[in-house]
Amino acid sequence: MPYVTTDDGAQIFYTDWGVDGSPVILSHGWPLNSDAWAAAARFLAEHGHRAIAHDRRGHGRSTRTWDGNEMDTYADDLACLIDHLDLTDLTLVGHSTGGGELVRYLGRHGSGRVAKLVLVSAVPPLMLRTDDNPEGLPIDVFDGIRAGEASDRSQLYRDLADGPFFGNNRNNDVSPGTRDAFWLQSMACGHRAAYECIAAFSATDFRDDLAKVDVPTLVIHGDDDQIVPFEVGGRRSAAMVEGARLLVYENGAHGLPDTERDRLHADLLAFIDS
């Protein structure tokens, strides 16, 4: 299996499918791994692109480091992978926490290798409610997730899969297999990485990073997202990136790569090929 070794010795697992066409990196959400993007990676590779997806440190098959479970290190790990593969004309696609990783990468490393950006149900600009971010969610929401991670992480993931992540508690009828896959990927995440990543996705301020985005950007968000509400995430991110295009999926839940798979694949391909 392919790995890249980071500056601190962590090994980051990745898949690399397809050899022709422009490259696409797919960055996953918390507490999942690159398998969450497997269907999209296969679709893009079958349609002429090189599809690359990695397991963030602490997640899936990558090293479970004690330190580095925050956005700066995630972004630097991504830079290591991009440099290792010498990727250019690159499209970055990030779901949820993965969208934050990509925006922080652009803020820290620039867009010299990047052609386009896609944010799907992504956490920027800032999820946590603060004095200068009154639109955010109260800290109690994230403390509740931390409490579940600390006390019974298996049940936390079961509850997320059966409820708000896919909107199975609302209008979506999501298969047991899809929900089980979420649970299985989540349990493959290291306990410390999963716990610390809650702060990384909720309390990291990406507003300065978004201001530095200078590539064509597509923002896709469901208007019934119960994890990253549309008004907290997608709407504001699109407004902060000059020229960004916003696609709103009516009644869309958070887990769009599964609940709106065919539509999302078509929208990704159309944007990448445009």
Side-chain angles (χ1 to χ4, degrees), residues 18 34 46 49 56 86 117 127 136-137 145 179 184 188 192 202 210 214 232 242 253 266:
S34 58
E46 289 174 347
H49 292 280
R56 193 170 299 115
D86 194 22
L117 171 67
M127 288 192 69
L137 299 174
I145 300 172
R179 289 179 273 143
L184 184 65
R192 178 171 169 87
S202 65
L210 287 168
D214 58 358
V232 172
E242 184 175 357

Side-chain angles (χ1 to χ4, degrees), residues 53-232:
H54 63 294
D55 292 358
R56 193 170 299 115
R57 71 166 57 214
H59 298 64
R61 290 141 291 201
S62 292
T63 303
R64 295 184 176 186
T65 59
W66 183 254
D67 296 315
N69 303 301
E70 33 72 25
M71 283 294 168
D72 285 354
T73 303
Y74 295 158
D76 293 348
D77 291 347
L78 178 62
C80 184
L81 174 62
I82 291 171
D83 292 346
H84 172 72
L85 297 176
D86 194 22
L87 302 175
T88 57
D89 191 31
L90 173 63
T91 298
L92 299 174
V93 181
H95 175 246
S96 194
T97 300
E101 176 187 35
L102 302 185
V103 169
R104 179 53 53 91
Y105 167 83
L106 289 169
R108 284 174 69 82
H109 298 277
S111 59
R113 292 181 176 270
V114 179
K116 296 176 182 178
L117 171 67
V118 184
L119 301 176
V120 181
S121 311
V123 298
L126 173 58
M127 288 192 69
L128 180 65
R129 182 180 298 167
T130 62
D131 290 343
D132 67 345
N133 188 53
E135 302 92 345
L137 299 174
I139 187 82
D140 292 353
V141 171
F142 306 109
D143 285 344
I145 300 172
R146 271 184 282 268
E149 175 66 35
S151 64
D152 190 347
R153 63 195 305 251
S154 180
Q155 188 60 48
L156 170 68
Y157 304 147
R158 182 81 271 161
D159 292 343
L160 287 170
D162 291 344
F165 190 89
F166 299 111
N168 199 58
N169 58 335
R170 297 271 183 95
N171 55 316
N172 290 331
D173 184 13
V174 181
S175 73
T178 295
R179 289 179 273 143
D180 287 349
F182 176 94
W183 178 88
L184 184 65
Q185 288 181 46
S186 300
M187 290 303 295
C189 184
H191 186 29
R192 178 171 169 87
Y195 186 88
E196 292 205 322
C197 191
I198 297 165
F201 73 67
S202 65
T204 302
D205 189 340
F206 299 100
R207 288 174 289 189
D208 288 344
D209 303 294
L210 287 168
K212 297 177 183 177
V213 174
D214 58 358
V215 296
T217 298
L218 175 64
V219 177
I220 300 175
H221 217 104
D223 65 5
D224 193 32
D225 190 327
Q226 300 170 70
I227 305 296
V228 184
F230 172 61
E231 298 294 340
V232 172

Side-chain angles (χ1 to χ4, degrees), residues 228-247:
V228 184
F230 172 61
E231 298 294 340
V232 172
R235 182 185 292 279
R236 292 197 297 152
S237 285
M240 291 182 183
V241 177
E242 184 175 357
R245 180 186 175 199
L246 175 62
L247 284 182

